[in-house]
Amino acid sequence: MTTSQFDSRHAGDTLLTSTASTTAASVAGGLTQQDIARRLDRLPVSRFHLTVLIVAALSLFFDTLDTVITGFVLATLRPLWGFDAATIGVISAIGLGGYLVGSALAGFAADRYGRKRMIMLTLVLYSLFSASRGLVNDVWSFAALNFFTWLFVGAESSIVPPYLAELWPTRVRGKLGGWMMGFFALGIAVSPIWALNIIPHWGWRAALFLTLPFAVVVGLMRSGLPESPRWLLQRGRAAEAEAVLASIEQRVGRRLPEDGVTTSAPTTPAAAASTKPTKVWRARDLLSPRFRKVTLMLWMAWFAEYGVLYTFMTFVPTLLAMEGFSIVKSFEFSIAIYASVIPGYVFGGYVVDWLDRKPTAILAFIGTAIFGTLFGLSTTSGALMAFGGLMAFFLALGSTAIYSYTPELYPTEIRATGMGLASAWGRAGAILLLLVFGVFAVLKGKLFVFVISDVILLIAAICIALLGPSTKGRSLEDASTGASD
């Protein structure tokens, strides 16, 4: 996309004048990633940032809405189609296999073809496959379509966080990340309400069909999103990067003074030289000596976090039904449990900026292990809701921490790839634990499975403590160049 095309697309907003375009073309040749970081960091949080946040992060809403509604649909279909809890684990594991593939491949595609283009494509394909599940009449056709639905959900949710991180000022990246994760919370909180009001009255098919029109609307809204200037510059499209930067600055309308902004921009020639990249990073460098420790730490953290989170969220309705509660009553109890993720996600954004990503993740994993064990020991409705809600809260806190943490530890060339592969490991953990949970929940009871998840969570917490660097107050460029510290 040329500067003139960019101007034409945004003419209604008067983002750039022809004079500004000429200036952009003349100065873009000297634009650096540090320049982009400094200019974005000088912008106050504005309507532009909030608009991009809402439009882009709605994909995360559909991520959890679809995932949790699938759990309710499977709980409903279990007596209708005559399959057991172990089959639910297998179906969910197949879907998460798609999530794993989508997450792994999406990062490569987003680093090569652009963040915005892939965000648009994945939403369209997700919505089509999601609605198509409502047309099937057997469990394995449902499982096959669920694979492709979650493939594109996984792709989308792996691209959005790096995209947003590349547009946000350093000083509020964690807080805005918390609000981004709030869309996960919204999806989790809305899904039991959605299921309780649609499935008993209109049927399980309608619960799946009705996601399609909402996804279409969001797709139309996304057409106005800008591409990441960091990605454009890294691809050698400096004039377009300058044009996007100028348009953002004009939409925000003002800048903060230099002395009021924390930035890692170099202040001396020697410092500038030290921050310039010495090579172009490739996907294979994720396991090079420079990034190996960080990559392995993140893979373990994602494996633990999303192995436990997806298993817990998928099986809550079924676990409550196994305790003797009716399907409708288990849905109602699930609302109370799932609602706990809302403060966990939003509050988590403020915690990661105040406490830093690393200690927040460690605290979250330990809290999840403690309250998961207590949930496994619970038999009364009050205890199940209380400890289930606290476990959900700490799971949400952990998600916010690692979603904020991961994009900060890789340079622009491999940021989406690193995020996608880490996310894929999260889904690998979910596949493993779903299969374990489905089998052992029947044979050994729910407490046994939570003991297994405790071990995984504690190993991940130790890995973060030993291998995780601090990124508090550091720009993306500074945090990624210090990845091996």
Side-chain angles (χ1 to χ4, degrees), residues 54-69:
I54 292 170
V55 174
L58 276 171
S59 64
L60 307 184
F61 168 81
F62 287 110
D63 178 353
T64 48
L65 180 71
D66 192 281
T67 303
V68 181
I69 283 179

Side-chain angles (χ1 to χ4, degrees), residues 364-383:
F365 285 8
I366 293 174
T368 300
I370 292 172
F371 291 110
T373 301
L374 293 173
F375 180 81
L377 289 167
S378 301
T379 56
T380 66
S381 59

Side-chain angles (χ1 to χ4, degrees), residues 305 308-309 312-313 316 333-345 363-376 378 381-398 450 457:
E305 169 67 24
V308 176
L309 186 147
F312 180 67
M313 293 302 178
V316 160
F333 287 171
S334 298
I335 295 173
I337 293 174
Y338 292 162
S340 302
V341 301
I342 298 175
Y345 281 127
L363 174 65
F365 285 8
I366 293 174
T368 300
I370 292 172
F371 291 110
T373 301
L374 293 173
F375 180 81
S378 301
S381 59
L384 285 165
M385 285 190 289
F387 294 127
L390 285 167
M391 182 180 179
F393 174 87
F394 279 97
L395 280 169
L397 189 64
F450 282 107
L457 288 163

Side-chain angles (χ1 to χ4, degrees), residues 175-374:
K175 295 183 182 68
L176 290 177
W179 285 104
M180 174 189 72
M181 298 303 296
F183 285 84
F184 269 118
L186 185 62
I188 292 173
V190 167
S191 55
I193 300 173
W194 185 294
L196 187 61
N197 285 280
I198 294 177
I199 293 177
H201 301 102
W202 295 355
W204 64 271
R205 298 180 194 274
L208 299 175
F209 289 149
L210 290 176
T211 61
L212 180 59
F214 291 100
V216 171
V217 170
V218 174
L220 293 174
M221 294 168 62
R222 285 187 181 174
S223 62
L225 293 178
E227 181 56 270
S228 164
R230 283 177 160 106
W231 180 81
L232 288 169
L233 181 61
Q234 182 270 322
R235 298 298 293 180
R237 296 157 64 177
E240 293 175 56
E242 174 62 38
V244 172
L245 274 174
S247 75
I248 293 172
E249 290 168 339
Q250 202 162 61
R251 291 180 68 175
V252 173
R254 67 188 183 91
R255 302 184 189 183
L256 297 175
E258 288 281 6
D259 58 3
V261 177
T262 300
T263 180
S264 62
T267 56
T268 67
S274 68
T275 60
K276 289 182 179 179
T278 57
K279 62 172 290 184
V280 176
W281 299 105
R282 305 297 184 193
R284 63 178 177 270
D285 293 315
L286 292 171
L287 291 175
S288 68
R290 182 67 175 272
F291 295 103
R292 185 182 300 132
K293 290 181 180 179
V294 160
T295 295
L296 295 178
M297 177 273 295
L298 289 172
W299 287 359
M300 185 65 222
W302 279 82
F303 183 94
E305 169 67 24
Y306 281 91
V308 176
L309 186 147
Y310 274 94
T311 303
F312 180 67
M313 293 302 178
T314 298
F315 272 99
V316 160
T318 301
L319 289 174
L320 293 171
M322 289 172 64
E323 292 291 332
F325 299 107
S326 68
I327 287 292
V328 171
K329 184 61 67 175
S330 73
F331 283 11
E332 292 174 346
F333 287 171
S334 298
I335 295 173
I337 293 174
Y338 292 162
S340 302
V341 301
I342 298 175
Y345 281 127
V346 176
F347 178 66
Y350 292 85
V351 174
V352 296
D353 267 352
W354 168 65
L355 193 59
D356 196 10
R357 287 70 162 146
K358 176 178 177 176
T360 301
I362 296 170
L363 174 65
F365 285 8
I366 293 174
T368 300
I370 292 172
F371 291 110
T373 301
L374 293 173

Side-chain angles (χ1 to χ4, degrees), residues 132-164:
S132 69
R133 292 175 301 172
L135 300 173
V136 303
N137 294 300
D138 67 277
V139 65
W140 299 117
S141 296
F142 185 97
L145 289 173
N146 206 46
F147 175 89
F148 289 102
T149 299
W150 285 10
L151 185 151
F152 293 109
V153 169
E156 189 170 22
S157 65
S158 299
I159 301 167
V160 168
Y163 169 73
L164 292 176

Side-chain angles (χ1 to χ4, degrees), residues 32-39 41 258 262-277 475 477-478 481:
T32 67
Q33 294 287 0
Q34 286 74 27
D35 293 333
I36 294 175
R38 184 171 59 252
R39 288 169 64 177
D41 282 353
E258 288 281 6
T262 300
T263 180
S264 62
T267 56
T268 67
S274 68
T275 60
K276 289 182 179 179
S475 72
E477 287 68 31
D478 185 35
T481 56

